[in-house]
Amino acid sequence: MTRPLSFLTGPMVQLAWVVDDIAAAEDRFGRVHGVPRWTRLDDVDFGPDDCTLRGEPADFRAHISLAYAGDLQLELIQPVRGASIYAEFLTTHGPGLHHGCWETPDLDATLGLATDSTVVQAGSMAAGELRFAYVEPGLPGLPFIELAQIGPGMREFFDAMR
């Protein structure tokens, strides 16, 4: 028998919050928590060819801001259009901590080990440079766990952001 969450073998690389006003959240994190700068990606499209929500094609858009606290990436996500776990979370819970992300070298193999978890949303972006899957249950106070397989181009983008 496997232990729940035993598939989390890679490093935790990110904490992410869903917000209803990304500019205000960036400002608050800066003033209150000392985050010096954000890299904002407005209107990121996740299309039905690249993303699923509960196994069905998903088509949504979000504003995303990224920053670093040491080696930990901070992410702010503001849903803009369409059905997603971000929009659902905002409707159900309001703004707040949404997920922690663990890096994996092989997303498919890791998901094969996550037998006690359900994939809620999955997809890829940047021509497959980032593949991701959100699973539940998460951890106490952390509704979802994101698993991410990060390609060399995306890693270069993240490193440049630091």
Side-chain angles (χ1 to χ4, degrees):
M1 182 168 151
T2 61
R3 293 184 346 255
L5 304 179
S6 62
F7 60 90
L8 297 178
T9 59
M12 181 182 193
V13 294
Q14 179 193 79
L15 282 176
W17 292 260
V18 170
V19 300
D20 55 7
D21 183 334
I22 205 157
E26 290 169 341
D27 180 63
R28 178 167 175 75
F29 270 79
R31 284 183 300 101
V32 176
H33 304 295
V35 178
R37 69 177 189 277
W38 291 91
T39 299
R40 187 184 314 169
L41 308 168
D42 285 322
D43 296 315
V44 177
D45 283 312
F46 295 87
D49 293 336
D50 300 318
C51 195
T52 60
L53 177 62
R54 293 185 185 81
E56 297 296 322
D59 185 15
F60 61 93
R61 179 178 295 156
H63 299 320
I64 298 172
S65 278
L66 302 169
Y68 280 87
D71 288 333
L72 183 65
Q73 186 180 79
L74 308 177
E75 181 179 37
L76 304 174
I77 304 167
Q78 179 186 337
V80 174
R81 172 191 61 74
S84 68
I85 59 173
Y86 317 124
E88 291 173 359
F89 182 86
L90 195 58
T91 299
T92 306
H93 302 287
L97 185 61
H98 183 263
H99 68 267
C101 179
W102 277 259
E103 185 175 348
T104 178
D106 185 334
L107 181 61
D108 296 323
T110 302
L111 287 173
L113 298 173
T115 57
D116 293 330
S117 300
T118 301
V119 175
V120 182
Q121 183 168 284
S124 68
M125 58 187 302
E129 278 291 314
L130 178 65
R131 294 182 59 224
F132 59 88
Y134 291 90
V135 299
E136 62 180 3
L139 297 165
L142 197 62
F144 298 98
I145 291 171
E146 180 184 15
L147 301 169
Q149 182 176 327
I150 303 169
M154 188 59 73
R155 184 165 315 287
E156 186 177 306
F157 173 69
F158 291 154
D159 288 346
M161 206 182 310
R162 286 182 209 188

